[in-house]
Amino acid sequence: MNAKRVDKIATAVIYLLVGIVILILVALLGFILITGLPHVTWSFLTSPASAFNAGGGIGDQLFNSFYLLFLTLLISFPISLGAGIYLAEYAKKNRVTEAIRITIEVLSSLPSVVVGLFGFLLFVVQFKLGFSIISGAIALTFFNLPLLTRNIENSLNGVSNLQREAGLSLGLSRWKTVTKVVVPAALPGIITGIILSAGRVFGEAAALIFTAGQSAPVLNYANWNPFSGDSPLNIFRPAETLAVHIWKINTEGIMPDASQVSAGASAVLIIAVLVFNLGARWAGNYVYRRITASK
Amino acid sequence: MAKDIITAENVHLYYGQKEALHGISLGFPEKEITALIGPSGSGKSTFIRTLNRMSDLNPEVTVTGAIRLDGEDIYSPKTDTVELRKRVGMVFQQPNPFPFSVYDNVTYGLRLSGIKDKALLDQRVEESLKQAAVWDETKDHLKENALSFSGGQQQRICIARVLAVQPEIILLDEPTSALDPVSSAKVEDSLLAIKDQFTIAVVTHNMQQASRISDQTAFFLDGNLVEFSKTVDMFTHPEKQETSDYLNGKFG
Ligand SMILES: Nc1ncnc2c1ncn2[C@@H]1O[C@H](COP(=O)(O)OP(=O)(O)O)[C@@H](O)[C@H]1O
Ligand SMILES: [Mg+2]
């Protein structure tokens, strides 16, 4: 066989493989959306779940998913930003830094079930936080930190050294150069990373089953006192998220319309994750245009 | 010749163990243009980056000797490099505007050092862009990203950004080597236009450029300062054989 032929065959194989991947993806999404979307109505999205009767919704679970996501990002973003800045801008190339990097690497490859069990033993049991949003948010933070930190570090590393030299040579201190020149220049990448990680967090179930719990107590959306038991804002209440709800219905759901609820919830979950993924690109570009074109 | 504002005294610089500058002594007369020429690898960039301590950024680097700015050694422990770099600004080989608007680029240094007065900022923007000979091309596009301008315009925006901070000395490391001849000529014009207000040190390996714009020229070779004299003198009758060979294109 001559080189040209090999090249042609290799190209064909690659196209075939790519085609298969796309096909699987489209089939999967199509299946979930086609079976699920018919059940998605406004009342399905807003009414609470029902354990025994047909007609339950996913309102509380949807709220829980977003609230948990918000809290997780609230905790993990500042930590990741600090760690990312340290690693990209200040850490010397030595053993300690290397060890930190490897630790992050290992942490990022921990199965989420393990993270969940760890969260269960430490926060739920040891710290007596119980099955609660805060336990879940901390577990998700562990899950999210390594990837977000790496993303921020990479985004900062992507900013050319010429930019740092420009800042320093203008008489900006090191810290100001980092915060006012390098971080803004890296912002589009950072935003994209946050939103992508939001998608992962939003769809996560395993780490939450043992931490945020599998029950959705009745919530009173008029109660804004975060310390009261039925307030949606209370971070010490158990909170079943959408992904956990899907898992639960499919393992022990006894309502007559379990499969419809599951299909509808899956469709909503998939759409949310897709929106996060597409939104990430858009937001990154938008932020980039905003900073570069000034007020 | 005017009095020297910044003076290097027996400056040695080492990259780790390797000595890259072998004792440079050189003074820059106030409000004149001094060109640093020499073949590539001769230590021009290394030297110019000692003058605002940008060489500190490389942890491998050690510098001995003294560099006096108005008599004070900038390598003394009490020097604040942030203050130093406000007095000694720098323009690089590759235009490196921030990925922000022209206006933000020019005002960045000022705003971060606490100036908020909009009128003053506006005025400084106009003044600096005019001095850098790029006002006409940018005045209707101040809100546009500096990166959307041509390389030559970007480089002049970078010069304006340095001018806005009002340094006393401006260091330029091959500011035109990434530019086409027309843009280079504009950058040269802007240097000539500002030289009565600033002391300028410019690295170039374009000898015509050195002869066009500089008052004195320093010739570097292998980390040594071979010859330093008035540009007209050096280009008409160089004292050293190496200088003459270099100027005649025998190497480099
Ligand atoms: N970061 C560095 N580390 C080690 N050696 C360097 C570094 N930068 C420059 N050098 C060496 O120092 C010498 C002078 O380089 P440079 O100042 O860049 O010359 P020029 O600007 O005249 O071309 C060269 O031999 C070069 O290899
Ligand atoms: Mg150089």
Side-chain angles (χ1 to χ4, degrees), chain A residues 162-174 176 180-181 184-185 288 291-295, chain B residues 49 54 57 82 85-86 90 92 94 96-101 104 108 112 143 145 147 161-162 165:
Chain A
L162 294 172
Q163 296 287 324
R164 295 183 181 82
E165 292 197 327
L168 292 168
S169 71
L170 278 181
L172 306 187
S173 64
R174 182 93 177 268
K176 277 201 172 163
K180 305 289 179 177
V181 177
Y288 186 75
I291 352 183
T292 56
S294 101
K295 309 102 241 173
Chain B
R49 291 168 70 92
M54 285 300 276
L57 301 186
V82 168
R85 290 177 191 144
K86 282 183 187 156
M90 185 158 206
F92 299 82
Q94 210 62 41
N96 58 352
F98 300 131
F100 312 136
S101 70
D104 285 351
Y108 227 59
L112 289 181
K143 302 279 176 204
N145 189 344
L147 292 175
R161 178 174 71 184
V162 170
V165 189

Side-chain angles (χ1 to χ4, degrees), chain B residues 91-117:
Chain B
V91 175
F92 299 82
Q93 181 166 2
Q94 210 62 41
N96 58 352
F98 300 131
F100 312 136
S101 70
V102 176
Y103 187 92
D104 285 351
N105 262 277
V106 179
T107 56
Y108 227 59
L110 294 173
R111 283 188 295 147
L112 289 181
S113 53
I115 297 176
K116 297 212 176 63
D117 179 2

